[in-house]
Amino acid sequence: MAAGSAIQIPSRLPLLLTHEGVLLPGSTMRTSVDSPRNMQLVRSRLLKGTSLRSTIIGVIPNTSDPTSDCDDLPSLHRIGTAALAVQVVGSNWPKPHYTLLVTGLCRFQILQLLKEKPYPVAEVEQLDRLEQFTNQHKSEEELGELSEQFYKYAVQLVEMLDMSVPAVAKLRRLLDNLPREALPDILTSIIRTSNQEKLQILDAVRLEERFKMTIPLLVRQIEGLKLLQKTRKPKQDDDKRVVAIRPNRRISHIPSTTEDEEEEEDHDDVVMLEKKIRTSSMSEQALKVCLKEIKRLKKMPQSMPEYALTRNYLELMVELPWNKSTKDRLEIRAARILLDNDHYAMEKLKKRVLEYLAVRQLKNNLKGPILCFVGPPGVGKTSVGRSIAKTLGREFHRIALGGVCDQSDIRGHRRTYVGSMPGRIINGLKTVGVNNPVFLLDEVDKLGKSLQGDPAAALLEVLDPEQNHSFTDHYLNVAFDLSQVLFIATANTTATIPPALLDRMEIIQVPGYTQEEKIEIAHRHLIPKQLEQHGLTPQQIQIPQVTTLDIITRYTREAGVRSLDRKLGAICRAVAVKVAEGQHKETKPDRAEVGEGEDCKEHVTEDAKPESISDTADLALPPEMPILIDFHALKDILGPPMYEMEVSERLSQPGVAIGLAWTPLGGEIMFVEASRMDGEGQLTLTGQLGDVMKESAHLAISWLRSNAKRYQLTNASGSFDLLDNTDIHLHFPAGAVTKDGPSAGVTIVTCLASLFSGRLVCSDVAMTGEITLRGLVLPVGGIKDKVLAAHRAGLKRIIIPRRNEKDLEEIAVNVRQDLTFVMASCLDEVLNAAFDGGFAVKPRVERLNSKL
Ligand code: ADP
């Protein structure tokens, strides 16, 4: 603190009375202030003062201030230290007080006390650090010798301390840089001295005296340190010995480990880590960051929470596959065979995947589009992704994105958070250990959004070939090259994928399977897989195709094959029990042959008893015969059929029509029901309909009302005003599922036309199409899924908008052959096709009109 230069203090100083510690010029002291007078000084002088001068106070040592401000001022020490108040910290606990940080400037003596309250102020005389003191030395040689001696001791003392501690190293530098006359005060306040000794130094106003008095204190400290080092030495030797024998000790499992050893071991680990970092192939930028971090780690005490954090970070950096990759072995012919072997049908998908792979074979660093398979669950999207990895000979990693609503899930947390970790992309790379895996981003349509940011936005960077060569995870904080990673995404619907993300991907629709395809998939893939999983062989179980068809139509209703797979699993489990029991029985008669005849008899009778699977299906065949799963066995294992062909039953009264709906889970048939009752012309809609669907219902009613005469549609009392004294209720089962979209328009019209005409809609016809107020039928989406759903449900005729005719080409020939398609461009055509014998205007009615 400006130790060498001259200082001029004010001639009047407010006095702070301390009784603990002695502040010497050039040193800093923290002192607690709680007596009334001192508190007043802090409040009205230090906290209110605005000039630098107001922060200069006189610190008078060895004087305890009375606890009450009414008491008289005690006698004050004659000499004090003028000080600069550097910091004031107030606190209310345990009682109101301030903590002052003061730096000593110079000595002064009190000439006269000017006032005592609210805090003492005195007229003072500065004793050192004045212009004349700094320039004028008494006798240069005498002081020179003294100061030289003092300096030597001071250096000796400082060098005995641990120079690796930054504060000690700084002190060593200060010894050379500070003026000699400042040193006695500074060193006295650093070394171990009593308050009394410090007071003596304070009182030694003459520099010569101060040097003389400080030297013995330094010598005492040096001797003390020497003694301390002597007593520590043997222990250090011990340490060395321990280090020397450590390799053996490890083998002989001597349990004792001292703290020092542990630290040393840890130090070894850090050195190893550093070595790994230097030899790893990480990018230059990453290497720079790692080396900086390891430097910090070396200086950090292990107990610091940041130690573990930094270490984990460095370990991750070393583990990441910066430059490690697998070699692609890509041969298109082999890939085609592999894809065909693993997956039945899905021709369009396989064709596109092969194109994609072929281009990759020709151009290795393809910045191609990201493929996104969109389709209902269980149609093999994930498993195609896995096959692609297999054909390329790459590692495969699936990242489930369903429900992820925090962008740090993708991009990682910043390392400032406790428990921060990298995002799923970097974690995936660490798991697979190579930088060119196939990453399957599963369920991109189910990404959430929350206050923690939009994960879809984070994915944009990952999926953009122009950007992802320098993807920066928040945890890593250095760029990682993702350009070698092959990303494939899957989704159930494109409707909920954010548009920007959708834009980065090439959508490949994977529609549901037809019944025939499902049978093939079951027999080629699912059944063999289930048999293997359950330890069964084809000699033990036989599932004929009719049974598979029964499972598909009566026990499952899905676009994919997942539920079918589960049902097959249940059958295999039941058969496994039978087979295991059979083996058990098989072994017993062997033993019976040895001589236990009676036992054998018992088993023969037991076998004859009907058992769970066998009672109706006669499955109690000898174990070596395959167990045949027929419909009876199916009922036994899976229970009564869950879905019956209910179509004709439900269409047995007017006011019901079958519509076709598209859902992310595939197509579905949908019964639309209508009823009418006396009322005031209100329309009630139930079944959780969206706005578009409600509007379709209004459109349908309006169109029918305007055409009521033409079609001879009447309300209950025979009036053409259909809503006159009539309420209409339209219901769309299943009531709990939210529905929306325009494609139910034609179905609502048909259903209401049936209601008002009292005629039944044909029981084998389903329909889809949007309507307009003028009675036109407009095209809709999802035709393929809808047609498959109708086919699954056993319907025969399907009414679709004429402009959707082109979509029929995508549908398998065998399905098309089973169905009759009616193309409709206006509602007249729809109604004509939906009712037996058409729905044209009856000539009878016209005749009646003419009579009137
Ligand atoms: P998704 O990802 O579309 O929900 P999965 O890929 O998980 O469906 O497929 C479910 C199961 O169905 C898997 O065991 C898969 O092998 C099987 N699978 C689906 N489609 C086919 C197919 N065309 N050929 C063979 N197996 C299939």
Side-chain angles (χ1 to χ4, degrees):
M1 174 73 28
S5 54
I7 293 172
Q8 180 71 55
I9 61 166
S11 58
R12 291 162 147 229
L13 278 184
L15 301 180
L16 182 83
L17 314 182
T18 65
H19 65 106
E20 278 171 354
V22 178
L23 178 71
L24 290 171
S27 67
T28 300
M29 181 174 90
R30 205 175 283 277
T31 178
S32 176
V33 168
D34 52 5
S35 69
R37 261 185 274 261
N38 282 351
M39 296 272 278
Q40 265 308 327
L41 178 129
V42 173
R43 274 192 209 122
S44 34
R45 173 91 182 189
L46 296 183
L47 296 180
K48 294 227 173 92
T50 48
S51 65
L52 189 63
R53 270 176 98 79
S54 63
T55 60
I56 299 179
I57 55 174
V59 180
I60 302 292
N62 205 25
T63 321
S64 70
D65 194 17
T67 43
S68 151
D69 60 351
C70 318
D71 293 347
D72 286 343
L73 201 65
S75 64
L76 304 177
H77 191 81
R78 197 177 48 87
I79 293 180
T81 310
L84 199 66
V86 182
Q87 188 188 51
V88 183
V89 181
S91 165
N92 265 336
W93 197 86
K95 58 177 185 176
H97 73 277
Y98 294 103
T99 305
L100 266 187
L101 186 70
V102 284
T103 299
L105 300 173
C106 63
R107 287 174 175 73
F108 69 87
Q109 72 170 334
I110 300 174
L111 295 180
Q112 189 192 351
L113 203 59
L114 296 175
K115 64 170 188 176
E116 291 188 15
K117 282 180 186 171
Y119 52 86
V121 178
E123 192 177 339
V124 299
E125 181 196 3
Q126 186 172 348
L127 296 177
D128 57 2
R129 305 287 297 283
L130 283 167
E131 204 77 34
Q132 63 262 39
F133 286 120
T134 43
N135 293 339
Q136 162 206 90
H137 288 304
K138 234 182 102 193
S139 119
E140 278 290 318
E141 291 104 70
E142 193 189 325
L143 251 189
E145 205 178 295
L146 250 181
S147 85
E148 200 54 40
Q149 198 183 0
F150 174 87
Y151 175 75
K152 257 195 229 151
Y153 281 124
V155 171
Q156 187 184 354
L157 173 68
V158 173
E159 281 179 352
M160 285 174 85
L161 302 175
D162 185 359
M163 291 298 271
S164 67
V165 178
V168 177
K170 192 173 172 195
L171 183 63
R172 177 70 190 82
R173 281 199 302 278
L174 280 181
L175 286 185
D176 292 335
N177 296 339
L178 284 179
R180 293 274 163 90
E181 62 264 26
L183 290 182
D185 285 338
I186 292 175
L187 278 167
T188 311
S189 44
I190 292 173
I191 62 176
R192 199 177 286 248
T193 46
S194 68
N195 271 354
Q196 206 51 45
E197 284 163 338
K198 279 192 191 132
L199 214 53
Q200 281 172 10
I201 302 290
L202 181 69
D203 290 346
V205 178
R206 280 175 45 236
L207 190 58
E208 177 193 357
E209 202 182 330
R210 234 180 291 159
F211 273 131
K212 277 188 184 155
M213 286 171 77
T214 329
I215 288 174
L217 298 179
L218 285 184
V219 173
R220 188 182 70 193
Q221 185 76 31
I222 290 169
E223 292 304 319
L225 273 178
K226 274 186 189 160
L227 213 67
L228 202 71
Q229 281 180 352
K230 245 187 226 159
T231 51
R232 274 206 184 151
K233 249 209 171 102
K235 194 169 173 280
Q236 271 179 3
D237 286 351
D238 262 8
D239 284 354
K240 270 184 205 142
R241 198 166 45 81
V242 171
V243 175
I245 63 165
R246 198 195 287 157
N248 297 342
R249 190 184 61 75
R250 272 199 190 145
I251 297 163
S252 56
H253 300 291
I254 294 173
S256 77
T257 47
T258 64
E259 234 170 64
D260 284 354
E261 276 174 56
E262 268 173 23
E263 235 164 58
E264 186 121 349
E265 246 170 49
D266 241 83
H267 185 72
D268 284 355
D269 285 353
V270 173
V271 173
M272 285 281 284
L273 197 60
E274 185 175 359
K275 216 176 189 178
K276 275 191 207 160
I277 289 170
R278 284 184 192 281
T279 51
S280 85
S281 51
M282 62 178 79
S283 65
E284 216 168 277
Q285 186 198 9
L287 185 70
K288 224 159 136 193
V289 173
C290 281
L291 290 179
K292 208 167 117 200
E293 289 292 321
I294 201 124
K295 220 163 152 190
R296 280 185 53 214
L297 189 72
K298 279 181 187 165
K299 283 190 199 141
M300 230 182 265
Q302 277 174 42
S303 49
M304 250 173 101
E306 218 191 322
Y307 183 88
L309 214 79
T310 312
R311 209 174 145 152
N312 286 347
Y313 170 74
L314 289 172
E315 272 164 10
L316 173 75
M317 291 291 269
V318 170
E319 271 178 54
L320 279 183
W322 295 93
N323 235 340
K324 215 166 120 198
S325 53
T326 48
K327 205 167 160 350
D328 278 0
R329 49 174 165 78
L330 180 60
E331 215 217 299
I332 286 300
R333 227 172 303 145
R336 187 193 298 272
I337 293 169
L338 205 129
L339 273 178
D340 278 341
N341 281 350
D342 281 0
H343 297 95
Y344 180 77
M346 353 171 80
E347 298 308 334
K348 204 170 135 198
L349 173 73
K350 283 195 278 194
K351 187 167 155 255
R352 180 65 189 96
V353 167
L354 281 174
E355 281 169 12
Y356 183 77
L357 294 178
V359 179
R360 277 198 93 84
Q361 188 181 356
L362 299 180
K363 190 168 187 311
N364 210 3
N365 58 348
L366 170 73
K367 283 187 179 169
I370 311 291
L371 297 183
C372 177
F373 303 148
V374 179
V379 290
K381 302 182 296 292
T382 314
S383 78
V384 168
R386 194 167 277 128
S387 289
I388 293 177
K390 206 156 90 181
T391 48
L392 286 170
R394 289 194 180 198
E395 293 291 332
F396 177 80
H397 185 75
R398 177 173 161 268
I399 299 176
L401 295 175
V404 167
C405 59
D406 183 350
Q407 71 143 331
S408 38
D409 249 324
I410 308 290
R411 222 193 260 262
H413 299 264
R414 293 202 184 281
R415 267 194 300 140
T416 40
Y417 291 111
V418 177
S420 55
M421 43 184 187
R424 294 188 186 210
I425 306 286
I426 293 295
N427 233 338
L429 285 168
K430 184 185 141 196
T431 313
V432 295
V434 286
N435 68 2
N436 64 342
V438 173
F439 270 171
L440 188 90
L441 304 172
D442 223 356
E443 324 260 24
V444 273
D445 56 331
K446 298 193 184 56
L447 278 174
K449 220 186 218 183
S450 73
L451 287 178
Q452 273 78 36
D454 182 0
L459 264 190
L460 286 182
E461 189 190 342
V462 174
L463 296 185
D464 189 344
E466 300 299 329
Q467 288 180 37
N468 70 7
H469 56 87
S470 61
F471 169 70
T472 308
D473 185 286
H474 285 161
Y475 183 81
L476 290 198
N477 215 10
V478 286
F480 194 97
D481 183 3
L482 294 181
S483 59
Q484 297 303 311
V485 180
L486 180 63
F487 288 103
I488 297 173
T490 78
N492 289 143
T493 166
T494 50
T496 49
I497 304 179
L501 198 57
L502 200 61
D503 191 44
R504 301 270 194 290
M505 303 189 287
E506 178 181 334
I507 304 295
I508 302 180
Q509 294 283 353
V510 194
Y513 296 116
T514 62
Q515 281 173 7
E516 287 70 24
E517 281 170 344
K518 283 187 190 178
I519 293 175
E520 285 300 323
I521 293 172
H523 284 270
R524 286 170 194 234
H525 299 281
L526 306 182
I527 296 177
K529 209 166 66 189
Q530 288 291 352
L531 293 190
E532 196 196 318
Q533 276 175 11
H534 290 86
L536 294 170
T537 60
Q539 283 77 42
Q540 290 163 322
I541 174 173
Q542 236 185 38
I543 306 179
Q545 293 214 347
V546 276
T547 310
T548 321
L549 185 63
D550 270 339
I551 304 175
I552 293 167
T553 53
R554 296 175 151 202
Y555 290 90
T556 66
R557 186 162 283 179
E558 57 171 356
V561 291
R562 196 167 283 153
S563 175
L564 172 64
D565 197 27
R566 265 200 302 274
K567 300 284 177 216
L568 290 170
I571 293 171
C572 288
R573 276 197 301 278
V575 172
V577 174
K578 271 298 324 136
V579 171
E581 274 178 2
Q583 279 173 356
H584 183 61
K585 283 172 207 156
E586 223 178 359
T587 51
K588 280 207 170 167
D590 286 353
R591 263 191 283 134
E593 270 171 30
V594 184
E596 291 176 58
E598 271 191 50
D599 223 303
C600 179
K601 239 188 258 164
E602 243 178 65
H603 273 278
V604 173
T605 49
E606 211 176 79
D607 268 4
K609 276 190 222 160
E611 281 181 42
S612 63
I613 297 182
S614 54
D615 53 354
T616 46
D618 193 23
L619 288 178
L621 297 164
E624 65 268 17
M625 292 286 283
I627 294 177
L628 182 79
I629 307 293
D630 60 5
F631 183 62
H632 297 291
L634 211 55
K635 241 171 136 181
D636 233 23
I637 299 168
L638 301 178
M642 290 180 200
Y643 307 101
E644 285 295 356
M645 292 297 171
E646 54 191 342
V647 176
S648 46
E649 263 169 51
R650 293 185 71 164
L651 288 179
S652 59
Q653 47 175 300
V656 185
I658 305 171
L660 294 172
W662 181 90
T663 74
L665 309 183
E668 274 190 34
I669 64 164
M670 178 174 66
F671 290 91
V672 181
E673 298 172 350
S675 70
R676 62 178 166 184
M677 56 224 89
D678 288 349
E680 286 152 12
Q682 278 189 354
L683 171 68
T684 313
L685 297 167
T686 51
Q688 300 242 27
L689 309 186
D691 286 342
V692 180
M693 221 153 161
K694 283 181 189 160
E695 282 171 8
S696 293
H698 285 290
L699 269 178
I701 294 218
S702 297
W703 185 81
L704 283 171
R705 283 174 76 187
S706 60
N707 287 283
K709 270 201 186 129
R710 233 177 101 210
Y711 287 109
Q712 292 299 308
L713 302 175
T714 54
N715 67 0
S717 49
S719 158
F720 288 127
D721 187 355
L722 301 179
L723 292 180
D724 185 30
N725 291 329
T726 311
D727 276 355
I728 299 170
H729 188 154
L730 263 175
H731 178 63
F732 293 74
V737 183
T738 319
K739 306 166 198 77
D740 203 6
S743 68
V746 291
T747 324
I748 303 173
V749 170
T750 312
C751 168
L752 290 173
S754 158
L755 180 75
F756 290 120
S757 65
R759 296 177 60 190
L760 293 181
V761 178
C762 294
S763 62
D764 62 350
V765 63
M767 60 204 79
T768 182
E770 180 176 352
I771 54 167
T772 70
L773 202 51
R774 296 259 152 218
L776 298 180
V777 176
L778 301 183
V780 290
I783 291 290
K784 181 168 182 191
D785 283 315
K786 287 174 177 174
V787 170
L788 290 181
H791 186 244
R792 272 203 297 277
L795 296 166
K796 294 284 172 257
R797 257 189 317 150
I798 300 179
I799 305 172
I800 61 167
R802 190 172 294 283
R803 276 160 65 189
N804 277 118
E805 194 172 357
K806 59 181 186 325
D807 295 318
L808 296 181
E809 278 165 29
E810 284 181 28
I811 298 164
V813 180
N814 56 349
V815 175
R816 262 191 281 170
Q817 279 168 354
D818 285 353
L819 299 169
T820 315
F821 293 97
V822 179
M823 309 300 163
S825 51
C826 64
L827 280 171
D828 290 342
E829 289 167 12
V830 173
L831 293 179
N832 270 332
F835 292 90
D836 268 338
F839 202 72
V841 178
K842 295 264 163 96
R844 183 176 56 87
V845 179
E846 279 182 348
R847 253 183 276 133
L848 200 71
N849 273 350
S850 64
K851 265 185 194 171
L852 281 170

